[in-house]
Amino acid sequence: MASKNSAPEGLHRNHRQRLKNRYLLEGLSGFEPHNILELLLFYTIPQKDTNELAHLLLNRFGSLSGVFDAPVAELVKVPGIGLHTATLIRLIPDLWSAYERDRSRIPRQKVNSTARAAEILAPHFIGRTTEAVFAMAMDSSGGLIGTQLVAEGSPGRALIDVRRICEWAIEVRAANIVLAHNHPGSNHCYPSGDDCNATARVAAILKGLDVCLQDHLIFCGGEYLSMADNVAFAACLDGRQTRELTIQKRLIIKKIPPLSRGD
């Protein structure tokens, strides 16, 4: 004889299986944010309806990306979210970042355009809620040598370590360097005066080492700015100081290109 709870449990199991089947057939393209979270939570919360919990998370953090970017200490404040589940949630952007970086590591792939540089560097900023600076090294023919984290800091400031960049450039025998950093929590990619001055300092010292600073990319959301593509910042890449551009609408801002396996 069925227990009083057998029907609800059966419905619950069927709902989980239907959602899993839907994902296997369609992927996530037709899923609402709460559906995505609900599906993820299945794997750490096996005996509970995760739909309500998914909505609680979205209400608390504002969006799907907000949930994944939330610190573990904040996630566990949501009723029903323990450390095990919070760890899984925080793991998602880090897994995505590691996956994208791994896909871009084709030995000596050519970095032959600004878009290609952005494509390689963008994954390093996935899930980051604090500012970070990466350097990308190429040989004299534009072949990718590698990328390196060279500074990280508070949500709005990461001091560029010029010495660290130069030492790494020498270590990997780079002929060309591209710098990149992010503006977390901002709605624009515009370089600040500090960004311009730091870029000029790095370029000047690298030039003395016979290394060319080809570009400095600034990422924000799904967009990026290339100093090399904006004539106002050409002096910075040549090691000369320049004033911060105040007429922001004249800047060229581009969408981050999708990752490819092009060489």
Side-chain angles (χ1 to χ4, degrees):
M1 183 174 178
S3 69
K4 292 181 180 179
N5 295 327
S6 62
E9 288 176 357
L11 289 173
H12 183 53
R13 282 196 301 270
N14 290 338
H15 171 68
R16 286 183 173 231
Q17 193 58 53
R18 284 196 301 270
L19 201 59
K20 291 176 184 178
N21 290 342
R22 179 183 166 194
Y23 166 69
L24 292 173
L25 289 172
E26 304 174 6
L28 291 177
S29 59
F31 276 51
E32 295 293 330
H34 71 274
N35 296 138
I36 296 173
L37 283 176
E38 186 181 4
L39 180 61
L40 178 66
L41 294 173
F42 287 168
Y43 296 94
T44 58
I45 305 175
Q47 301 297 329
K48 182 179 178 181
D49 181 2
T50 59
N51 182 278
E52 181 179 354
L53 192 51
H55 283 288
L56 282 175
L57 287 165
L58 290 168
N59 290 338
R60 174 71 176 267
F61 300 108
S63 65
L64 186 64
S65 59
V67 173
F68 289 132
D69 288 341
V72 169
E74 293 300 316
L75 288 167
V76 296
K77 292 179 182 179
V78 178
I81 299 294
L83 182 59
H84 189 54
T85 300
T87 302
L88 176 66
I89 291 172
R90 279 299 304 145
L91 185 62
I92 298 303
D94 288 338
L95 281 174
W96 180 18
S97 179
Y99 167 74
E100 294 285 31
R101 291 198 307 272
D102 186 71
R103 287 188 64 195
S104 70
R105 287 173 183 157
I106 303 171
R108 287 298 191 270
Q109 58 182 300
K110 297 295 183 182
V111 185
N112 49 19
S113 67
T114 302
R116 185 64 184 133
E119 181 183 29
I120 293 169
L121 286 162
H124 292 284
F125 301 103
I126 294 171
R128 287 188 177 272
T129 56
T130 58
E131 193 167 300
V133 184
F134 282 84
M136 179 171 67
M138 290 85 67
D139 60 26
S140 58
S141 66
L144 176 64
I145 296 173
T147 58
Q148 177 73 28
L149 176 67
V150 292
E152 55 187 334
S154 64
R157 187 174 181 82
L159 296 177
I160 292 179
D161 189 334
V162 179
R163 179 175 178 177
R164 187 174 180 185
I165 295 169
C166 293
E167 287 178 346
W168 183 67
I170 294 170
E171 178 186 344
V172 299
R173 299 182 180 180
N176 303 287
I177 292 286
V178 172
L179 290 180
H181 79 277
N182 58 332
H183 283 175
S186 176
N187 60 0
H188 68 77
C189 307
Y190 309 130
S192 66
D194 287 342
D195 292 337
C196 295
N197 293 335
T199 302
R201 288 199 306 274
V202 173
I205 296 174
L206 285 176
K207 184 186 289 188
L209 300 172
D210 292 324
V211 179
C212 173
L213 181 61
Q214 286 191 333
D215 206 346
H216 186 165
L217 307 180
I218 301 173
F219 291 90
C220 177
E223 298 180 327
Y224 72 96
L225 176 141
S226 158
M227 285 193 176
D229 284 350
N230 286 273
V231 66
F233 306 113
C236 297
L237 297 172
D238 193 41
R240 293 175 286 126
Q241 301 291 334
T242 186
R243 67 182 180 85
E244 182 180 358
L245 190 67
T246 57
I247 307 175
Q248 296 174 345
K249 65 182 180 180
R250 294 180 182 174
L251 297 181
I252 300 170
I253 308 292
K254 297 180 178 179
K255 296 288 185 183
I256 296 174
L259 191 70
S260 70
R261 289 185 177 270
D263 50 26

